């Protein structure tokens, strides 16, 4: 990740895509740019990758459950 923020969301009523979109909206408002990458704990994502609009969601063991490491990455497909 070239630039990013950590976001926490443990709302059991929201699905993963909705949580990522909420984090994207906050990131856009706070930093004035579009994120393109998001890392989550593997327990949150059944597959290894998911597209949430322009944001590619991937797993990373260093991210705690219910946390989202979201931001910009030159190559969003890189680990």
């Amino acid at each position: 990740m070239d630039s990013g923020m950590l976001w926490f969301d443990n709302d059991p009523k929201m699905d993963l895509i909705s949580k990522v979109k909420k984090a994207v909206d906050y990131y856009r408002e706070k930093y004035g740019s579009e994120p393109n990458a998001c890392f989550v704990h593997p327990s949150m994502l059944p597959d290894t990758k998911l597209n949430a609009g322009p944001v590619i969601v991937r797993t990373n063991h260093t991210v705690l459950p219910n946390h989202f490491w979201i931001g910009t990455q030159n190559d969003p497909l890189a680990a």
Side-chain angles (χ1 to χ4, degrees):
M1 184 89 60
D2 299 315
S3 174
M5 71 169 199
L6 190 61
W7 178 264
F8 176 78
D9 191 333
N10 67 345
D11 184 350
K13 296 178 185 172
M14 289 179 65
D15 64 359
L16 182 63
I17 297 275
S18 299
K19 291 178 182 185
V20 171
K21 287 182 180 179
K22 187 175 175 183
V24 166
D25 290 343
Y26 181 84
Y27 185 96
R28 186 182 310 115
E29 184 178 319
K30 182 170 178 80
Y31 299 105
S33 64
E34 290 288 329
N36 65 353
C38 180
F39 292 94
V40 298
H41 189 269
S43 67
M44 297 173 62
L45 187 62
D47 296 322
T48 57
K49 185 176 83 172
L50 170 76
N51 289 340
V55 177
I56 296 173
V57 182
R58 304 211 36 204
T59 61
N60 187 310
H61 286 281
T62 62
V63 180
L64 295 172
N66 298 315
H67 287 77
F68 300 80
W69 185 23
I70 188 164
T72 58
Q73 189 170 15
N74 283 338
D75 182 3
L77 296 175

